[in-house]
Amino acid sequence: MVIGGLGENQMPLKVVELYSIDDGKWKKKRSLREAAMGISVSVKDCRVYAAGGMGMDLRPHSHLQQYDMLKDIWVHMPNMPTPRYGATSYLRGTKIYVLGGRQSKYAVNAFEVFDIENRSWTKFPSIPNKRAFSSVLMTDENLYSLGGLRQGGTYRRPKFTKTMDVFNLEQGGWVKTDRSCFLKNRRADFVAGYLKGRVVIAGGLGNQPTVMESTEAFHPIKNKWETLAPMPTPRCACSTIVFKNSLFAIGGVTQGPSDAVEALCVSDS
C-alpha cells in the first residue's frame, strides 16, 4: 500500500494505491483527506495507521488517520503531540511507537506512543541525540537510534555521527551506551535491519566523497560491532525491508538514481 508522497510536480499527493499480490494488479483506494508526503505507516488487523506528514502548505502535520481496508474509509484519530514528517513508526502489540522525524529542514527528537485500544497518546523520553537521516529499528527488547546527521547551529557545520542510543522497552527508558559500542563509521541515510539477533547497517553517506559500501553488524550479547561483506552497489536513500532472514536494499542513489535490488543474508555463525 502506497500512501501519499510527492508527485511529478514535486507537490504532496493524496492518492492511495494498493497492490494485490494475488491479482498482480494495482488498485486505487479512498484518497487521503489532505495531500501529504513523509507519512509514517503501521498496520494492524486490516487497519492502517498513517501518522504525520507534510502538506501542501509545507508545514508538518500532527494528524493520525486510520484506514479501514474492509470499508475503504479514512477516519481521523487523536493528533500526535508533536507535528512532524519522515518519522519512524513501529507496532508492538496494541501500541504504535513513533520516533524522530523532521520539522521544516530540522530533526526532532520526539518519542511518542499511541495506544490503539485506548485511542490515546503518551509522551516517552526524547531521543538523547537529535539528528536527521538516522536509522531506527526495533528488536525484541530494545529500540536502536543509529548514526545520522547532526545539524549545527548558525555557525556550526552539519556533522555525520556514529552515535547509538538504546531504549529498553521493558524498563521504559534510554540506556547509557558506552562509546565503544558506537558505529565503526560515521554515516547517515543508510540501510538498517535486525537479522539473526544482530543490528545490521549498510551503505549511506559519510565523511567520504562518495556513497558508502561498508556493512556492519552489532551483536548485543557480545556488545561489539563486526564487519560484514560490503554492498555490491554502494548506495544511500534505499527502500528496505527484512524478509525471510534477509535484508533487502531496493533502489536508492549512487551518483544518480539506482535500480539495484540486493539482499544480505546473515548466517547463525
Side-chain angles (χ1 to χ4, degrees), residues 2-7 10-15 32 34-41 50-63 65 80 83-87 102 104 133:
V2 182
I3 300 173
L6 278 180
Q10 296 300 301
M11 296 300 290
L13 299 171
K14 60 170 60 176
V15 177
L32 291 166
E34 296 181 45
M37 59 154 285
I39 296 171
S40 303
V41 178
M54 184 169 70
M56 297 289 286
D57 57 2
L58 303 184
R59 292 182 179 179
H61 289 171
S62 58
H63 305 325
Q65 303 175 71
M80 281 192 299
R84 48 192 149 150
Y85 69 95
R102 305 181 84 189
S104 183
F133 303 109

Side-chain angles (χ1 to χ4, degrees), residues 147 150 170 180 205 211 213:
R150 184 171 296 158
E170 296 301 325
S180 62
L205 292 170
V211 289
E213 63 176 10

Side-chain angles (χ1 to χ4, degrees), residues 4 41 57 69 83 105 127 133 136 138 177-178 194 211 234 241 261:
V41 178
D57 57 2
M69 291 186 178
K105 296 181 180 180
I127 303 171
F133 303 109
V136 180
M138 178 182 281
T177 308
D178 191 273
Y194 186 57
V211 289
I241 189 170
V261 179

